[in-house]
Amino acid sequence: MPATDCQGSSTPLAQLGRSILSFRREQVHSMDSTLDSTTQHQVLEKFQRQVAERLQDLASVDSTNLLSVSWISKVLDVFLTCQEEFRVILSNNRALLNKPPTDRLISDLFERNVKALDVCNAIRDGIEQIRQCQKQLEIVLCALDSERSLGEGQFRRAKKALIDLAIGMLDEKESNSALSQRNRSFGRNNAQKDPRSLAHFRSLSWSVSRSWSASRQLQAIGNNLVAPRPSEIVATNGLSVAVFTMNYVLLFTMWVLVAAIPCQDRGLQTHFYIPRQYIWATSILSLHERILEVSKKRERKSACGLLKEIYEIEKCARLLNELTESIHFPLGQEKEGELRERVEKLRLVYGSVKDGLDPMERLVREVFHRIVRSRTEGLECLGRGNQE
């Protein structure tokens, strides 16, 4: 098949296609459960191309929507689609899974999957934190409802909610480790909640231990993640390229989640080492660089998460809180107009969070369960292969 170009380079599969095919022709015995080499080459090259197209679509996002709830959901959708296609590839190559070096590559992938499950659980907790912020916003919007005249009682209630919101976010920035209390996994939502303050989410049951670190977990997922050597590509009939690709899709997805969502000991120091001849490399490296640039901005350095909506909540709440400091009753017409305007901006941010948070959480849950199912199916294939 013709090579797919990327900055003048062809894909590793296209480059090594002749080697794989010649290798296959030299075999005396065929493997019944493995696709013939020509079809295998086409399937794997198609997988590379589709991964590249999806990541390129993610990379085309403008700076306004980068790291928004809707964009994060799109990242999760891309992972789920790639994971399903990769699952089919493994299923069609069962005979290779328990043979070296494929067995080692698959085993390493499954180990990274386990580490990714912890990240998913921590992100679920981070989403819960955002919900607590959302509740404080509800109090503010209810107290300063445009349908009612503003009285001192409603004003004091709104101001208290803004202060609680600011304190809660400040505590999160200063000490993420204070958020971990006890183990919790997906499907258990029986935590006791104290509705009196934003800080009640500190006492929820959490999915990771007090010493758990998102930064270290990402580093563990990325450890020893290197592109396959030509000999490995030939020995695995090209499957090692697909495994390497899925490893990086996994790492990139977890890194984006940790960058965007509040979680324990966040850190974005993970480095991505991808040979440029992989046609999806440019998109991942570009997004990695853009997100790091966002994290270096002065107003985002101490943020509990780079999610666009978190930044907008902080900004709107800060401006509204500053305005409340200068307001005295009876309220003048000019001040009331300015207050209504800022409340309306806060209402738009609230609506964006409200509409996007539940769908995003469902996708995080689906990623969690899809990883579990895929890993279980893979281990079963390995077990059947060993028995045969």
Side-chain angles (χ1 to χ4, degrees), residues 249-262:
V249 172
L250 175 72
L251 175 60
F252 173 72
T253 302
M254 296 301 115
W255 183 81
V256 168
L257 289 175
V258 169
I261 309 297

Side-chain angles (χ1 to χ4, degrees), residues 79-91:
F79 173 84
L80 290 169
T81 304
C82 293
Q83 177 70 31
E84 178 59 24
E85 291 172 352
F86 180 72
R87 185 193 66 80
V88 173
I89 289 173
L90 289 187
S91 179

Side-chain angles (χ1 to χ4, degrees), residues 51 129 161 184:
V51 170
Q129 294 177 43
R184 166 176 160 187

Side-chain angles (χ1 to χ4, degrees), residues 256-325:
V256 168
L257 289 175
V258 169
I261 309 297
C263 58
Q264 190 171 306
D265 189 27
R266 289 174 59 253
L268 306 182
Q269 300 87 358
T270 304
H271 298 289
F272 291 177
Y273 301 104
I274 314 172
R276 289 281 181 172
Q277 65 264 32
Y278 283 84
I279 58 175
W280 43 265
T282 301
S283 296
I284 283 186
L285 295 173
S286 171
L287 285 168
H288 181 257
E289 183 178 350
R290 289 175 64 186
I291 292 172
L292 285 179
E293 286 301 314
V294 172
S295 72
K296 294 174 184 176
K297 292 182 178 179
R298 183 173 59 86
E299 67 273 18
R300 309 292 285 274
K301 279 186 177 181
S302 59
C304 60
L306 297 179
L307 193 71
K308 173 192 171 185
E309 285 76 8
I310 289 178
Y311 171 65
E312 290 179 342
I313 288 172
E314 289 182 318
K315 181 180 177 181
C316 290
R318 184 181 68 252
L319 292 175
L320 186 56
N321 197 38
E322 289 173 357
L323 180 60
T324 61
E325 296 296 331

